[in-house]
Structure formats: C-alpha cells, structure tokens
C-alpha cells in the first residue's frame, strides 16, 4: 500500500490508475499547477539544480530520496499515510463508530470549507516567499527555502486530490480557485490574513516557519483525527514533511541569536545601535519580529468562542491535536473559564476548543524561546526573549482591536497606539533588516548576521553546493 508509483504522470499511492476519471481530472489540473508554479513560484531559480528530498514511501523510516533536481521537474504527487485497519472515530458524538471512507452528505460543505482553507495556505506561502532566493544568507538556507516551497506545493496537491476525489464538480472548481487567489492580491487575496502578509526578508521567513508553519502543524494534527479517513491519512503524511519547515524556523532563529551574542561579545556591548552597526540583529529587534509573527499566527486559531468549532468537533470532522492525550473525547459536560474584556465566565468546553488549541500551540512555541534564553543567559546577558500574550494585537475574537500590551494588560488606547512601534517592527527596523539581506552564494559561506548551522543536510558537509545556480 505504501509503495509510491513513480512511473505515473502523477506519482501517487492511491491507485490512481484504478480510477480513470479521477486520473484524467487531475492530469487536467496538473499543467495549471505547473503554470501557477512558473508564474507565482520562485521562478527566477527555475534553472537551478537544488538538492531536494522527494517522498518515495510513506514509512516512518527512509521515506525520502535526496538528489539534485530543477524545481519545475520536482515530482509533486499524492501520498496518504497507510490506512489503520478498522479505524474508529476517536472523538465527538459518533465516537467509536467506523471512520468514514466517503463523506456523509450533511457534512459535505463544511468539510469542503475546511479542506479549501487548509489548501489555500499552501500555495499562499510559496507566493509569499517567492523572491527570498535573491537575498539568501547561504546556499544551505537557499536549499531549505526551496525544499519548503516544493513541499508546500505538494501539500496543495494533497488537498486538491481530496477535492477532486470526493467533492465532484464543486471540488474541481475549488481546485481551480486555489490557483486563482494570490497572496496579497487586492482583488483575490488568500483566505487568511497571515498568508497575505509579505515575507520580504529572511528574519521574517524564520519567524513565519517557526510560528505559522507551527499553526499548520496544529491544524494538520487536528485534521489527522478526522472521522473522514482520507483526510486524516493525508494530513498524517503531511506532518512528516512539515517537521522540516519548523526545523528551519527554529534553527534559523537560534542562529540569529547565536550571531547576535557573538557580536555582543566582540563589541563588549549590548547597545542595539552598536550591534546593528556591526551588521547583526540586536535582540530587542528580534523580540519585535517574534511579537509580530506570533500574534499574527495566534489569530489563525479563530475566535475564543466558536459554534463552528463546537459543531466540527461534535460531528467528528476536526478533533484536538493528539486527541489520545485527553481523557474525555465527547466534552458535553466540561466547561472552560475564559477571560474576555467583559470579564471571566465559564463557557462550554466544546465552544472553547479554538482557545484550547491556541493555548497548547503557545506552549509549543515556548520551547524554542526557552532554548534561546538559555544561550543568552550563558553568554552573560540579562536580556530575555518572550512571547506576547494571547490577547496582544488580535484581530479576531474577544480581544480583537483591544489596546493590550504584549504582557496582556489593557491600557489607554492613545498610549497603546504610541507604544506599538516599540513592540512590533517599525519602518526603520524593517529597513535595517532589509539592509542586512545581501545574497551569499559561495558554498559554505554565511551572511554576517547569522551563524552557520550545526550540520549540513542529509549528513553532507556545510561546504556542499546545495544549490547549483546557472
Ligand atoms: Fe504545508
Ligand atoms: Fe509548511
């Protein structure tokens, strides 16, 4: 089952040859995808040979093959994790019944919406990152960027397969729309705000892959619990690829911190102006980037109180990440104490699941911050990085538009407006970061604002030519 057929036009492990109609529909979509990649992807690097991994099986061991590939020749395909025999629904009112191999009619439009919303983020991020190659800090980083890009393209394939296979004509239309919306487009933007934010520098890329890809991990994990088995299996395999994207974010930010500490030591100073003059990112500046991308990503979980998420859970469409870790999988009896600007109140747990997910997401985000703070402490600096409160700079839910500082305290609006430039990157901060973004493409060399990684990709040395530019 897990063998992937690479002789096919569209590599897959879903026995596409066994369904000619579906195969033809997807082969019709394939050139449209390639055209989109050619127009909206990293198209200035189409001739480059990139050391990429490609999925060759869905086993936990040895699922990827590495080799030099031109990105337009990447074998984007459809890979689902192996089925679990006699899988049962693990949560909600239908808990214990068999998982669905087909979609019950009454959940069709809701599931389509969930899949389209997830699918939309995948090409969106490729569009957001399409020009970053011109300012890469090293060939190693350039390769990682392109690896993420091709895999987000594959995640789009994963969702488009579900749309084509299970949603008939509506699904085919949605698949075309996924290529028609564009990140930041005034008329046809991507569905979620964060995916319309420009990513024009590598510090933002590392924040995006740390915070926003981690939101992706949480969404995929909750969809991996779905009663709709093909969706669950699709998301389970996507998570395997997603881990690398967060690795790029976490190690990228670690390397920025490391380099800042080195420069602080060399200068014998932590004065931000002097650190910047020496061509590194001062820690208060990094803090602003964390504040911006973390708060922006927190909105992706939706409103604190949501009847949609309650219905999605009760109906078995979308669970909680790692549903197994909880004792109660029905949640009809539980409540959660929720604090809003109007005060604290107990709300039914089912309606508060977005908040439950957001809180566990923020805890996951803390892990890297703690690690960075340990290295800052070891270097003898008093500075500490932190994550903003769940209430800070929210544009969705109970705290939307509220004047709240990064610690979560309500404050006077006038003072809030004035202080915002000290909490998130100002125009001059962004201009400075952009000034650091100079392309470095000699094998093994790094830009001055970032430390080298601890090791290369797939046991290759750091000096390896990860991208051969032509
Ligand atoms: Fe993805
Ligand atoms: Fe990702």
């Amino acid at each position: 089952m897990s063998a992937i057929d690479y002789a096919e036009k569209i590599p897959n492990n879903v026995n596409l040859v066994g369904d000619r109609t579906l195969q033809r529909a997807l082969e019709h979509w394939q050139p449209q995808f390639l055209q989109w990649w050619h127009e909206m992807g990293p198209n200035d690097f189409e001739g480059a040979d990139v050391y990429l991994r490609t999925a060759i099986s869905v086993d936990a061991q040895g699922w990827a093959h590495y080799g030099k590939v031109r990105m337009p020749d990447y074998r984007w395909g459809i890979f689902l994790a192996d089925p679990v025999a006699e899988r049962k629904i693990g949560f909600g009112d239908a808990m214990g019944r068999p998982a669905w191999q087909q979609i019950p009619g009454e959940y069709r439009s809701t599931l389509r919406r969930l899949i389209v919303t997830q699918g939309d983020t995948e090409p969106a991020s490729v569009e957001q990152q399409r020009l970053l190659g011109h300012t890469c800090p090293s060939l190693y980083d350039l390769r990682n960027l392109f690896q993420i890009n091709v895999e987000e393209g594959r995640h789009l394939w994963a969702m488009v397969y579900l749309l084509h296979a299970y949603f008939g004509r509506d699904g085919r239309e949605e698949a075309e729309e996924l290529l028609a919306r564009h990140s930041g487009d005034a008329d046809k933007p991507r569905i979620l705000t964060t995916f319309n934010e420009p990513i024009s520098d590598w510090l933002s890329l590392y924040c995006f892959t740390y915070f926003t890809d981690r939101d992706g991990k949480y969404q995929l994990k909750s969809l991996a619990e779905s009663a709709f088995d093909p969706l669950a299996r699709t998301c389970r395999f996507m998570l395997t690829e997603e881990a690398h994207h967060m690795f790029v974010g976490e190690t990228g930010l670690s390397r920025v911190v490391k380099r800042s500490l080195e420069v602080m030591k060399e200068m014998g100073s932590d004065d931000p102006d002097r650190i910047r003059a020496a061509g590194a990112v001062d820690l208060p500046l990094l803090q602003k980037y964390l504040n911006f991308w973390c708060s922006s990503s927190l909105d992706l979980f939706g409103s604190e109180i949501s009847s949609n998420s309650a219905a999605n859970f009760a109906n078995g469409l979308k669970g909680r990440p790692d549903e197994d870790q909880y004792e109660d999988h029905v949640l009809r009896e539980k409540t959660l104490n929720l604090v809003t600007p109007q005060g604290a109140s107990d709300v039914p747990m089912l309606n508060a699941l977005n908040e439950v997910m957001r809180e566990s997401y923020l805890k996951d985000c803390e892990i890297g911050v703690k690690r960075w703070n340990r290295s800052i402490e070891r270097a003898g600096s008093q500075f500490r990085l932190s994550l903003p409160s769940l209430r800070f700079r929210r544009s969705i839910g109970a705290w939307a538009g509220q004047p709240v500082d990064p610690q979560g305290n309500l404050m006077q609006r006038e003072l809030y407006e004035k202080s915002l430039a000290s909490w998130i990157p100002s125009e001059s901060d962004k201009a400075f970061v952009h000034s650091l973004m100079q392309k470095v493409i000699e094998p093994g060399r790094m830009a001055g604002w970032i430390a080298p990684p601890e090791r290369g990709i797939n046991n290759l040395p750091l000096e390896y030519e990860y991208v051969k530019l032509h």
Side-chain angles (χ1 to χ4, degrees):
M1 190 64 202
S2 61
I4 291 176
D5 186 349
Y6 266 98
E8 287 294 311
K9 221 165 156 185
I10 302 169
N12 71 90
N13 69 346
V14 294
N15 189 28
L16 213 49
V17 283
D19 186 342
R20 289 287 172 196
T21 315
L22 176 60
Q23 186 180 36
R24 263 199 301 276
L26 285 166
E27 284 180 1
H28 180 72
W29 187 81
Q30 190 176 37
Q32 299 175 39
F33 168 82
L34 290 171
Q35 185 61 25
W36 165 81
W37 179 271
H38 176 63
E39 283 168 18
M40 301 304 295
N43 48 17
D44 296 324
F45 297 87
E46 291 202 330
D49 290 308
V50 189
Y51 186 71
L52 294 175
R53 72 177 182 190
T54 308
I56 45 165
S57 128
V58 294
D59 287 342
Q61 290 91 25
W63 60 274
H65 164 82
Y66 287 81
K68 286 250 171 90
V69 184
R70 285 170 68 252
M71 283 185 282
D73 300 332
Y74 192 74
R75 300 300 309 276
W76 285 283
I78 300 161
F79 317 127
L80 272 60
D82 286 337
V84 173
E86 291 175 47
R87 179 170 170 254
K88 303 274 189 291
I89 301 172
F91 62 95
D93 296 340
M95 172 149 178
R97 301 223 197 107
W100 316 321
Q101 300 308 324
Q102 290 294 331
I103 298 171
E106 65 265 43
Y107 303 137
R108 201 180 156 84
S109 64
T110 312
L111 270 173
R112 193 181 66 208
R113 198 72 215 143
L114 285 173
I115 291 169
V116 166
T117 307
Q118 177 62 43
D120 194 65
T121 65
E122 314 288 357
S125 68
V126 176
E127 293 167 354
Q128 285 172 292
Q129 298 165 14
R130 60 188 295 266
L131 296 176
L132 284 174
H134 293 293
T135 55
C136 63
S138 72
L139 285 182
Y140 165 91
D141 289 281
L142 186 61
R143 176 269 167 200
N144 282 345
L145 169 71
F146 292 156
Q147 182 70 60
I148 292 172
N149 291 161
V150 295
E151 283 175 352
E152 302 302 11
R154 205 203 67 71
H155 293 176
L156 173 60
W157 269 97
M159 293 294 129
V160 163
Y161 161 71
L162 294 174
L163 289 169
H164 272 246
Y166 296 95
F167 295 89
R169 195 170 141 191
D170 296 354
R172 290 194 292 278
E173 280 170 14
E174 293 282 14
E176 302 208 346
E177 285 297 301
L178 284 168
L179 299 176
R181 285 184 292 271
H182 297 309
S183 179
D185 191 291
D187 300 322
K188 260 184 169 268
R190 291 295 176 182
I191 296 170
L192 301 167
T193 309
T194 312
F195 292 88
N196 288 299
E197 303 279 6
I199 303 179
S200 48
D201 64 81
W202 284 73
L203 191 55
S204 296
L205 176 75
Y206 297 134
C207 289
F208 181 92
T209 44
Y210 187 77
F211 291 109
T212 313
D213 280 281
R214 191 176 312 273
D215 161 74
K217 165 182 157 184
Y218 274 72
Q219 302 301 335
L220 294 178
K221 272 183 171 256
S222 57
L223 293 172
E225 302 287 338
S226 180
F228 178 40
D229 200 46
L231 173 62
R233 290 170 54 203
T234 301
C235 291
R236 264 170 45 216
F237 185 64
M238 287 163 75
L239 281 162
T240 316
E241 293 165 316
E242 203 60 49
H244 173 71
H245 309 179
M246 283 174 290
F247 162 86
V248 169
E250 176 161 0
T251 54
L253 292 173
S254 295
R255 291 159 56 205
V256 171
V257 170
K258 188 173 178 205
R259 183 65 193 137
S260 304
L261 295 171
E262 285 169 5
V263 171
M264 281 159 68
K265 195 173 170 198
E266 283 162 24
M267 313 286 299
S269 165
D270 60 2
D271 176 3
D273 289 337
R274 295 191 59 196
I275 306 302
R276 289 191 191 193
V281 175
D282 54 294
L283 296 176
L285 177 58
L286 175 59
Q287 179 64 58
K288 289 180 167 189
Y289 274 76
L290 300 183
N291 287 345
F292 178 87
W293 285 103
C294 184
S295 55
S296 173
S297 302
L298 286 169
D299 267 343
L300 293 168
F301 291 90
S303 295
E304 284 80 355
I305 302 174
S306 163
S307 52
N308 281 345
S309 69
N312 289 344
F313 186 88
N315 295 331
L317 308 184
K318 188 176 176 185
R320 289 165 295 182
D322 303 309
E323 192 60 49
D324 273 356
Q325 67 175 313
Y326 299 96
E327 262 168 34
D328 180 350
H329 301 287
V330 182
L331 300 178
R332 287 282 175 196
E333 314 292 326
K334 280 219 166 67
T335 57
L336 183 79
N337 191 266
L338 203 66
V339 182
T340 68
Q342 286 74 44
S345 61
D346 284 330
V347 297
M349 181 64 92
L350 268 184
N351 292 71
L353 288 178
N354 287 346
E355 193 59 10
V356 172
M357 253 171 85
R358 187 167 19 241
E359 282 171 9
S360 68
Y361 163 80
L362 204 61
K363 271 202 200 112
D364 203 39
C365 291
E366 284 284 356
I367 295 170
V369 178
K370 281 195 188 126
R371 190 169 307 148
W372 305 327
N373 278 338
R374 274 200 297 276
S375 56
I376 295 171
E377 193 179 357
R378 270 200 303 273
S381 165
Q382 302 297 315
F383 193 90
R384 294 292 178 269
L385 294 165
S386 59
L387 296 180
S389 155
L390 295 168
R391 304 170 189 173
F392 176 64
R393 219 177 67 87
R394 291 288 306 283
S395 38
I396 289 174
W399 294 93
Q402 295 288 333
V404 171
D405 69 15
Q407 285 71 45
N409 308 303
L410 269 166
M411 59 192 295
Q412 268 193 331
R413 186 166 296 275
E414 217 177 304
L415 185 59
Y416 170 80
E417 305 285 351
K418 244 190 255 164
S419 311
L420 205 53
S422 66
W423 294 328
I424 59 173
S426 64
E427 288 312 311
S428 70
D429 293 330
K430 289 186 215 168
F432 168 70
V433 170
H434 281 164
S435 76
L436 294 179
M437 300 295 130
Q438 307 291 341
K439 175 155 88 178
V440 176
I441 51 171
E442 291 96 295
R445 245 197 76 201
M446 293 289 140
W449 56 272
I450 189 163
E454 276 168 25
R455 59 188 70 84
I457 295 295
N458 196 28
N459 295 323
L460 288 176
L462 211 52
E463 294 70 31
Y464 180 73
E465 193 173 17
Y466 289 100
V467 182
K468 189 154 180 58
L469 300 161
H470 293 287

